[in-house]
Amino acid sequence: MLPSCVNECVGRLHNGEKLSSANVTADLKSAIRNEAIRRARKAVADFKNGAAKKLPTFRSSLGISINNQNWNSVEKNGRWHIAFTSNTGKKALPVHESADVKTFFPFLTKDNREFRGTMALLRKGRDWYAAIPIQTSSDLQDKTIIEADCTSVGVDLGLRHVAVLSEPISGKRQFFSGKEIGYIRRHFRSLRRSLGQKKAPRAIERTGKKESRWMNDYNRKLANDIVDFARQFDSPLIKLEQLDAIRTTCRSQKRADRTIHSWAFYQLKQFIKERAAKFGIPVVDIDPYQTSQACFRCGHAEKANRQKEKFSCRQCGHTNHADLNAAANIAARTSLAV
């Protein structure tokens, strides 16, 4: 039923309709209808942006995604179950217990939403599988990094500034604005819209490929600049925040920010690692929890500390640029994102 719902949403969105769970008539729970709309929007956007050559048709093997608000682990009679919202109400199904299940399922209960992400239910033959993302952190354990007495360089990635670099000991920093990205991507978007009105699909496809090449080149140059910044220090260590939630933590509503919301951050991260490897510079992923809300000077963390681009600690009064404060926190952090 979900694939047919997604296919219907794809057609309606492509025809210019605005959809919500209220006007999708499929006999599914609202959370599942919203999931169908999200997938359809992504498919239509990929087609319009030139990332896909044609609108897809979703098949019956399509997995079901359930966000972290609608599933959790439950222990019944000494055995672990996955509880989730289905079209017929709340279900709690037993799982095949393994060492991983016994280790991690106690942290996925109803009261521990922060440790779990969106679950995917997949069917293969007569068996059902659950793909569960789990975010954990641990102290740095790489002895070669610890013993080298490295100089940590924090890299904060975002929307208003694509990257902000900080080496807290020397106080050196560098900002990379997102204005150029916003301007050029708006140009490509406007060009595709104009070509769409002229019904020129091949030109749209060529434009999409041209934009992709430009993004690739920009990310590679930016990665080179980031690594070059780190190379000025003795035994540098580049610390990047984990990128899984970057689009949910960056909620700016400015037009330029929305334009770069789909920026290829993962590609940028890979280019940084490739460039750093050429100079023997280690790169680690850091747990980003509260790096933007915690004061670098005193460590006090609360949401009110950050007001857009300004950081002002409610406890010690320390003020700084918000992204620079976050980059300094990333540089000082020793919890790896795993």
Side-chain angles (χ1 to χ4, degrees):
M1 186 175 291
L2 177 62
S4 61
C5 180
V6 178
N7 289 329
E8 177 188 348
C9 292
V10 167
R12 292 173 65 182
L13 289 169
H14 184 57
N15 290 330
E17 287 191 55
K18 293 184 178 180
L19 298 183
S20 68
S21 60
N23 58 16
V24 173
T25 58
D27 187 20
L28 298 168
K29 290 288 186 180
S30 61
I32 300 177
R33 293 200 299 272
N34 282 326
E35 172 63 21
I37 294 170
R38 283 193 292 270
R39 293 194 183 199
R41 283 197 183 119
K42 177 65 166 59
V44 173
D46 285 347
F47 174 70
K48 290 183 177 180
N49 293 335
K53 294 184 178 180
K54 62 180 181 179
L55 288 172
T57 299
F58 292 88
R59 301 179 180 179
S60 58
S61 58
L62 179 67
I64 300 172
S65 296
I66 304 175
N67 65 31
N68 65 346
Q69 297 176 342
N70 294 313
W71 76 272
N72 56 270
S73 61
V74 178
E75 189 177 19
K76 294 183 178 181
N77 300 322
R79 185 173 181 182
W80 284 104
H81 295 62
I82 292 179
F84 58 90
T85 302
S86 73
N87 194 40
T88 57
K90 192 80 171 181
K91 297 290 184 182
L93 304 180
V95 299
H96 176 71
E97 291 203 348
S98 63
D100 288 339
V101 167
K102 294 177 181 179
T103 299
F104 293 110
F105 267 48
F107 297 98
L108 305 177
T109 55
K110 186 176 181 180
D111 296 330
N112 294 320
R113 186 182 301 169
E114 66 272 18
F115 295 113
R116 61 182 191 269
T118 298
M119 177 179 71
L121 286 178
L122 309 166
R123 184 177 182 179
K124 186 175 182 180
R126 301 178 65 179
D127 297 324
W128 284 87
Y129 298 85
I132 301 174
I134 301 172
Q135 181 173 310
T136 62
S137 63
S138 62
D139 287 337
L140 294 174
Q141 296 296 324
D142 191 330
K143 293 182 178 180
T144 60
I145 294 177
I146 297 173
E147 293 172 356
D149 192 22
C150 292
T151 304
S152 295
V153 175
V155 181
D156 178 66
L157 301 177
L159 301 182
R160 294 186 181 184
H161 292 92
V162 182
V164 177
L165 317 182
S166 173
E167 196 289 298
I169 297 177
S170 67
K172 291 184 178 180
R173 76 284 301 274
Q174 189 168 354
F175 289 77
F176 295 92
S177 175
K179 289 184 179 180
E180 179 186 359
I181 293 175
Y183 173 80
I184 294 180
R185 297 208 72 191
R186 284 196 301 275
H187 165 72
F188 279 114
R189 186 173 63 184
S190 175
L191 182 59
R192 282 193 298 271
R193 186 183 297 115
S194 176
L195 292 171
Q197 293 172 350
K198 296 177 182 178
K199 297 182 179 180
R202 292 184 179 178
I204 292 175
E205 182 179 354
R206 289 195 298 270
T207 301
K209 291 180 179 179
K210 184 176 181 180
E211 182 181 14
S212 179
R213 289 193 298 270
W214 173 80
M215 291 172 62
N216 185 298
D217 183 64
Y218 188 98
N219 269 342
R220 196 170 291 281
K221 291 178 180 177
L222 178 56
N224 292 348
D225 289 341
I226 291 172
V227 174
D228 288 345
F229 175 87
R231 290 176 60 198
Q232 66 182 299
F233 305 105
D234 293 332
S235 302
L237 165 64
I238 298 176
K239 294 181 179 179
L240 299 169
E241 60 180 336
Q242 191 182 43
L243 301 182
D244 293 352
I246 191 168
R247 291 181 178 86
T248 58
T249 56
C250 296
R251 299 181 183 274
S252 173
Q253 295 301 309
K254 275 191 173 183
R255 182 178 65 173
D257 292 343
R258 293 200 304 270
T259 303
I260 65 173
H261 216 271
S262 59
W263 188 249
F265 288 106
Y266 180 79
Q267 182 193 64
L268 171 60
K269 181 177 176 179
Q270 296 306 113
F271 285 165
I272 292 172
K273 291 184 176 182
E274 291 174 9
R275 177 69 174 175
K278 294 181 179 180
F279 299 97
I281 300 175
V283 180
V284 294
D285 295 334
I286 295 299
D287 179 11
Y289 181 65
Q290 289 190 327
T291 52
S292 64
Q293 300 177 10
C295 175
F296 175 70
R297 178 174 293 174
C298 72
H300 173 69
E302 65 170 287
K303 189 175 182 179
N305 282 349
R306 177 166 185 165
Q307 298 296 328
K308 295 184 179 179
E309 292 190 346
K310 182 180 180 181
F311 185 91
S312 180
C313 181
R314 295 300 181 93
Q315 180 165 292
C316 72
H318 172 64
T319 60
N320 202 347
H321 189 286
D323 293 335
L324 184 59
N325 178 79
N329 282 329
I330 292 169
R333 182 153 294 188
T334 60
S335 293
L336 280 175
V338 180

